[in-house]
Amino acid sequence: MTVSRRTLLGAALSGGAVAAVGLPAAHAATIGPNPPLEAPRLLVDPRAPRGFLDGACIALQTLGLGGIAVVEPPSDAALTESIAWLTARRGRRIIAMVGDSQAILMQQMAPAGRVRWLSLAQHGSSSEAAFANRHRVTALPANRGLARRLAVELAAAGADFAVFDQPLGGGGATPGAAVPGFVSHRDADGLLHLAGLSAAEGCTGLDRPTTGLAPYASCATTAATGLGWERALGEALALIAADRWPQQAAEAQQIFAGRGRGTAAAAVALTSFVIAS
Amino acid sequence: MSSKYIALPKGVSEKSFDAAIKEYRAILGEANVIVAEELLVSYNKIMIPDEDEHHTPSAAICPSSVEEVQRCLAVCNKYKVPVWPVSTGRNFGYGTTAPANRGQVVMDLRRMNRILEVDAELCTCLLEPGVTYQQLYDYLQEHKIPLWLSCPAPSSIVGPVGNALDRGVGYTPYGEHFLFSCGMEVVMPNGDILRTGMGSLPGSNTAQVFKWGYGPYLDGIFTQSNYGVVTKMGFWLLPAPPAFKPFVIRYQDEADIVQAVETLRPLRIANIVPNAVVIVHALWELGSMLKRAEHFDGTGTIPDSVVRRLVKENNVGMWNVYCGLYGSPEQVEVNWKIVQGAVKASGKGELLTQEQVGDDPVFKYRADLMQGKMNMREMGLYNWRGGGGSCWFAPVSQARGSETLKQMAMAKTILDKYGFDYVAEFIVGWRDMHHIVDLLFDRTDPQQMKAAKACFGELLEEFSKAGYGTYRVNTAFMDKVADYYGPVKRDVNRKIKLALDPNGIIAPGKSGIWATGGKVI
Ligand SMILES: Cc1cc2nc3c(=O)[nH]c(=O)nc-3n(C[C@H](O)[C@H](O)[C@H](O)COP(=O)(O)OP(=O)(O)OC[C@H]3O[C@@H](n4cnc5c(N)ncnc54)[C@H](O)[C@@H]3O)c2cc1C
């Protein structure tokens, strides 16, 4: 496998940011060395936000998991080799943030029924959509709550965003928790949490009807870390890969949307995932 | 969640499904009956403009033998549980592995992956459904068998049986894949095993060499249908030609498609250019290597002016016609002269050989596919727009320049209305063309999802009104397309279904065919 940059975790990230930035307090207590797991492999497209790699690497290092980051648009050969590495032994994990075509290939190369999907999400930014910054998270047993974490960070940063939390299969009857900082609504499809925009504006942007929307009371706390969504995502995927992400109950479908600064950096479409053997 | 399953088959209670799962497990073993969410993700990547949950499977079952398929179908009949059979399950842009309807159980045949026979003299093979093109390619290489296969663009990870059963295409002289299949083994819904053609005759050794057998020719009814589970399929392989000469003809204007087709058709019908030629629009050519956002940051369809600029900058044609000559060096030389003469006489088009294009990666992947070599480069199309949305709009056209121009104009007008790009190619059969448009969209944007669905519906509607039918369609639009082909065909299909599969246990809804429930006319 040719790699343009192979980084031993903990070395030379963001000019030594490893030492300077710790994990958010909310998680620090739950983290400790995790000997049974092998160091996950990270596959990261160079277009991925820098904070993502930093977040993942710092979290893994804090967990005592060394590892290898492959930073490049992974070639087909690298994808094949990574899947072979993953499936050669139980307990291995891949954390990835790659282009859509690589994600689809990985998904297809990973032997169905043998590789467990711990997390899967698409991330898009562009100015042409109703929300500049978009995330579509497939809610799975191991990553429940990830969408909420992203939404909270995005809202804290005043971003223009939509986060879709979609349980595989459509989700059950259990409603999700409302989120402080958002005004929550409920309808037959699930929950709609809005920050900085009215129900009517939210529904227009999300292309869904306003009929049947009822207010929904806030009852949970998910505090923003202020790290930014990119870093929060990297950290969350590291925790998920290390089986240290807090277990949460299955919830109904939810959408989080916020009308902040309409800043879509360069238009980019990437897929993140964590898979396990 | 109200049920322990992420979905349940329509009309099947959780209790019955528990019982069915228990019986599948007794047949297949625990590991080959999949109900866990984190494992079923692999079976629910649809990419089409429809909600994922409309296609969520309740489970996946993975038999490894014909006998296990039979026993599983018996369980299906007992509990009225529908199964959605897939061979390698990578029907990208048509619904991938996910079933047509929520709750259907995916019958994943990837474990049945034996190459049962390759006859180097008769140039045939007999394969199980899980065999991939890569596997067959490696087998031929390892055993130094001088035969070529014909594969679609996703080559290595997809397979001959699934592709041919959905009547897919490749780029060699054997590019119309079902045409080059010969003989099937099918497990019927009641568990009977049917061998088609000569295969029905005990002791016959002609099943892979003579298609028609005796009486009605049945193989066709097991393609794009739900009348049985195909467990073996024979194919003809191409003897490796002593000489192969790939070339491209580049045209600079969109309207040049007329000359391209008029030049190519006589050569193709006369088998001078024997392969399934592909006429690739600039945005497909460029889309496999560029990212749209890096070249256009406006809203809506990428303007023609930008496409023209990209064509110039990247040294491609507005249309790029990829062809191959196959045969002895002498034959290739003679045919090359004929091709040169035809292109010159047409007054349009720049003819370029491998030597002239150098190490152009797009030419390389096209040349690989024309020789049945594995090359996944075309998957790069998914990075053109990004966002993981893709569905193929695939109307059939006559191989006539005026017709292709008309279809292109119709498609562009409708795509433009919804803000999508014309990422398209024509694959040239002898007398027909598959006009393939990849409707690429961003699934993270609900407005694009909605627009893509509406756009696809309008493409189907307008083309059907003009008398153009699609050769294949994704799982969200199967009923609609079946309607366009008319009530009599739909009714005959349904009567066959009812006769063979009264409980409707195999792939209900495939190609708009239902036994019970669903859409009954
Ligand atoms: C970039 C790109 C390029 C593509 N290019 C091409 C191309 O050049 N040509 C082309 O044809 N396609 C193309 N495709 C579409 C598709 O990926 C291929 O057709 C692929 O071969 C289909 O998947 P599969 O072979 O795994 O078949 P499967 O998914 O296994 O089967 C296809 C369908 O056939 C039926 N079926 C399968 N097995 C059985 C069985 N044993 N019994 C009964 N029914 C069964 C099912 O309905 C199933 O959904 C392309 C896709 C992409 C993304």
Side-chain angles (χ1 to χ4, degrees):
Chain A
M1 176 167 54
T2 47
V3 292
S4 56
R5 196 183 110 200
R6 222 172 218 229
T7 313
L8 279 181
L9 293 188
L13 273 169
S14 293
V18 173
V21 185
L23 281 170
H27 293 308
T30 63
I31 292 172
N34 192 7
L37 278 182
E38 244 185 88
R41 177 175 290 193
L42 276 125
L43 295 178
V44 185
D45 189 286
R47 291 175 302 143
R50 181 58 197 236
F52 172 78
L53 186 62
D54 288 355
C57 289
I58 292 165
L60 287 173
Q61 206 207 13
T62 313
L63 289 160
L65 294 171
I68 291 176
V70 179
V71 185
E72 64 169 14
S75 64
D76 291 356
L79 300 183
T80 311
E81 194 274 331
S82 293
I83 291 292
W85 172 83
L86 179 79
T87 50
R89 196 175 308 154
R90 277 184 72 85
R92 288 184 167 171
R93 309 276 196 266
I94 290 175
I95 301 174
M97 171 79 111
V98 292
D100 290 334
S101 91
Q102 283 80 22
I104 289 161
L105 280 176
M106 287 287 277
Q107 188 155 12
Q108 297 307 319
M109 288 172 181
R114 276 180 52 210
V115 166
R116 289 184 300 126
W117 286 78
L118 305 186
S119 187
L120 177 63
Q122 283 177 283
H123 312 275
S125 63
S126 62
S127 47
E128 67 169 331
F131 294 93
N133 201 312
R134 301 172 306 281
H135 307 265
R136 198 177 162 99
V137 180
T138 302
L140 295 163
N143 77 349
R144 284 181 197 133
L146 175 62
R148 178 178 297 123
R149 165 138 306 280
L150 292 179
V152 165
E153 299 297 342
L154 284 156
D160 187 68
F161 71 93
V163 181
F164 302 87
D165 190 21
Q166 301 196 299
L168 193 74
T174 320
V179 189
F182 288 76
V183 177
S184 299
H185 308 266
R186 187 178 181 179
D187 69 6
D189 289 335
L191 294 181
L192 184 60
H193 309 281
L194 301 171
L197 74 177
S198 68
E201 286 166 332
C203 288
T204 308
L206 295 163
D207 219 352
R208 50 188 278 151
T210 42
T211 45
L213 266 193
Y216 189 72
S218 186
C219 60
T221 51
T222 303
T225 60
L227 291 174
W229 74 265
E230 302 90 340
R231 197 156 174 154
L233 176 66
E235 183 206 302
L237 296 196
L239 292 169
I240 290 165
D243 297 336
R244 298 302 183 91
W245 183 252
Q247 289 285 304
Q248 299 179 34
E251 292 177 343
Q253 279 191 44
Q254 356 196 11
I255 304 174
F256 305 83
R259 184 60 81 210
R261 298 183 301 275
T263 47
V268 114
L270 294 161
T271 301
S272 72
F273 57 85
V274 181
I275 46 179
S277 58
Chain B
M1 235 178 251
S2 48
S3 162
K4 60 177 164 298
Y5 302 105
I6 58 170
L8 278 172
K10 199 171 165 208
V12 177
S13 69
E14 184 159 342
K15 203 167 150 222
S16 291
F17 198 58
D18 283 342
I21 291 289
K22 199 170 156 206
E23 293 194 30
Y24 294 138
R25 284 190 172 135
I27 299 165
L28 304 174
E30 196 81 18
N32 296 306
V33 179
I34 299 164
V35 292
E37 248 179 283
E38 64 268 29
L39 296 175
L40 284 175
V41 174
S42 302
Y43 295 95
N44 198 205
K45 177 92 186 162
I46 56 169
M47 300 167 81
I48 57 178
D50 201 7
E51 296 308 325
D52 293 353
E53 65 253 35
H54 295 169
H55 304 275
T56 305
S58 50
I61 55 175
C62 311
S64 66
S65 68
V66 175
E67 193 221 332
E68 286 182 359
V69 172
Q70 289 174 294
R71 292 174 65 197
C72 286
L73 291 186
V75 175
C76 294
N77 273 311
K78 183 169 165 190
Y79 297 102
K80 312 276 189 292
V81 170
V83 283
W84 181 262
V86 296
S87 290
T88 38
R90 276 119 187 190
N91 213 358
F92 304 120
Y94 294 110
T96 328
T97 323
N101 294 282
R102 182 179 173 81
Q104 294 174 346
V105 172
V106 176
M107 181 180 265
D108 179 348
L109 299 169
R110 274 176 253 201
R111 291 175 71 218
M112 296 177 68
N113 63 355
R114 288 176 306 160
I115 296 170
L116 297 165
E117 187 183 68
V118 174
D119 189 317
E121 284 163 8
L122 294 168
C123 308
T124 62
C125 65
L126 182 64
L127 307 175
E128 286 190 331
V131 172
T132 61
Y133 286 105
Q134 181 76 56
Q135 222 182 312
L136 183 57
Y137 181 82
D138 291 346
Y139 183 94
L140 297 173
Q141 297 293 310
E142 271 161 31
H143 293 83
K144 299 199 174 15
I145 301 172
L147 296 175
W148 286 5
L149 49 81
S150 179
C151 61
S155 54
S156 56
I157 57 174
V158 300
V161 175
N163 184 274
L165 287 178
D166 228 19
R167 299 205 290 264
V169 293
Y171 304 92
T172 71
Y174 287 13
E176 182 64 90
H177 292 156
F178 176 55
L179 195 64
F180 291 91
S181 72
C182 192
M184 291 176 178
E185 177 187 86
V186 190
V187 178
M188 300 303 292
N190 68 356
D192 284 352
I193 295 176
L194 168 72
R195 297 196 178 87
T196 63
M198 303 306 286
S200 292
L201 192 77
S204 160
N205 65 2
T206 50
Q208 267 63 71
V209 294
F210 183 67
K211 283 168 175 270
W212 320 120
Y214 175 74
Y217 170 70
L218 295 177
D219 299 47
I221 68 164
F222 297 105
T223 64
Q224 290 193 4
S225 82
N226 49 17
Y227 300 148
V229 177
V230 176
T231 45
K232 290 183 186 67
M233 201 161 168
F235 292 93
W236 293 345
L237 298 169
L238 179 75
F244 166 66
K245 186 182 183 73
F247 59 93
V248 59
I249 318 171
R250 291 186 183 145
Y251 294 87
Q252 286 315 314
D253 291 315
E254 268 186 346
D256 291 347
I257 181 94
V258 176
Q259 272 84 4
V261 174
E262 293 303 314
T263 308
L264 255 295
R265 186 191 51 245
L267 300 174
R268 179 81 176 99
I269 292 183
N271 266 348
I272 288 163
V273 174
N275 70 315
V277 167
V278 61
I279 304 178
V280 188
H281 187 269
L283 279 185
W284 185 306
E285 190 87 342
L286 297 166
S288 65
M289 51 181 176
L290 303 181
K291 293 177 186 75
R292 182 186 202 263
E294 289 167 7
H295 304 276
F296 175 62
D297 62 0
T299 53
T301 308
I302 191 164
D304 286 348
S305 56
V306 177
V307 182
R308 277 195 293 273
R309 174 169 58 75
L310 289 175
V311 162
K312 277 221 174 72
E313 284 171 8
N314 292 278
N315 201 23
V316 300
M318 188 58 88
W319 289 105
N320 305 272
V321 184
Y322 288 95
C323 317
L325 298 178
Y326 303 70
S328 68
E330 297 79 11
Q331 283 171 311
V332 167
E333 205 181 311
V334 170
N335 286 340
W336 179 238
K337 287 208 174 91
I338 298 172
V339 170
Q340 283 176 309
V343 174
K344 195 167 173 207
S346 77
K348 286 245 162 108
E350 187 191 8
L351 189 56
L352 297 164
T353 60
Q354 187 147 31
E355 296 71 41
Q356 287 167 302
V357 297
D359 54 5
D360 175 351
V362 176
F363 186 95
K364 174 162 181 351
Y365 101 71
R366 290 292 176 183
D368 279 350
L369 293 178
M370 287 192 281
Q371 301 168 75
K373 282 189 181 167
M374 306 299 104
N375 190 319
M376 304 275 287
R377 193 181 174 93
E378 200 163 287
M379 298 297 285
L381 279 178
Y382 288 142
N383 290 337
W384 169 248
R385 185 125 196 181
S390 163
C391 56
W392 305 103
F393 173 61
V396 176
S397 146
Q398 289 183 336
R400 228 190 270 280
S402 54
E403 286 291 290
T404 51
L405 190 66
K406 185 175 158 198
Q407 284 208 359
M408 179 194 74
M410 283 174 69
K412 281 190 76 174
T413 307
I414 297 167
L415 289 161
D416 205 48
K417 182 171 154 189
Y418 293 94
F420 297 114
D421 299 338
Y422 180 66
V423 179
E425 65 179 23
F426 286 90
I427 303 173
V428 189
W430 283 276
R431 290 157 182 86
D432 72 289
M433 297 203 155
H434 290 39
H435 181 187
I436 311 281
V437 181
D438 196 355
L439 203 172
L440 293 164
F441 60 97
D442 184 347
R443 290 187 105 242
T444 65
D445 178 359
Q447 292 181 342
Q448 267 196 50
M449 274 274 273
K450 194 171 172 190
K453 192 167 192 172
C455 179
F456 197 84
E458 187 167 334
L459 284 164
L460 287 175
E461 178 84 26
E462 291 307 313
F463 273 68
S464 301
K465 268 198 232 154
Y468 299 129
T470 49
Y471 96 100
R472 186 174 173 191
V473 81
N474 67 64
T475 45
F477 287 88
M478 287 180 167
D479 280 313
K480 191 164 177 161
V481 171
D483 279 343
Y484 291 134
Y485 278 86
V488 177
K489 182 160 198 296
R490 245 194 132 166
D491 187 45
V492 171
N493 286 345
R494 190 174 66 88
K495 282 178 178 148
I496 299 173
K497 178 74 176 165
L498 275 171
L500 297 177
D501 182 13
N503 291 327
I505 55 152
I506 298 183
K510 175 80 184 178
S511 299
I513 308 168
W514 301 85
T516 52
K519 218 172 157 190
V520 179
I521 34 169

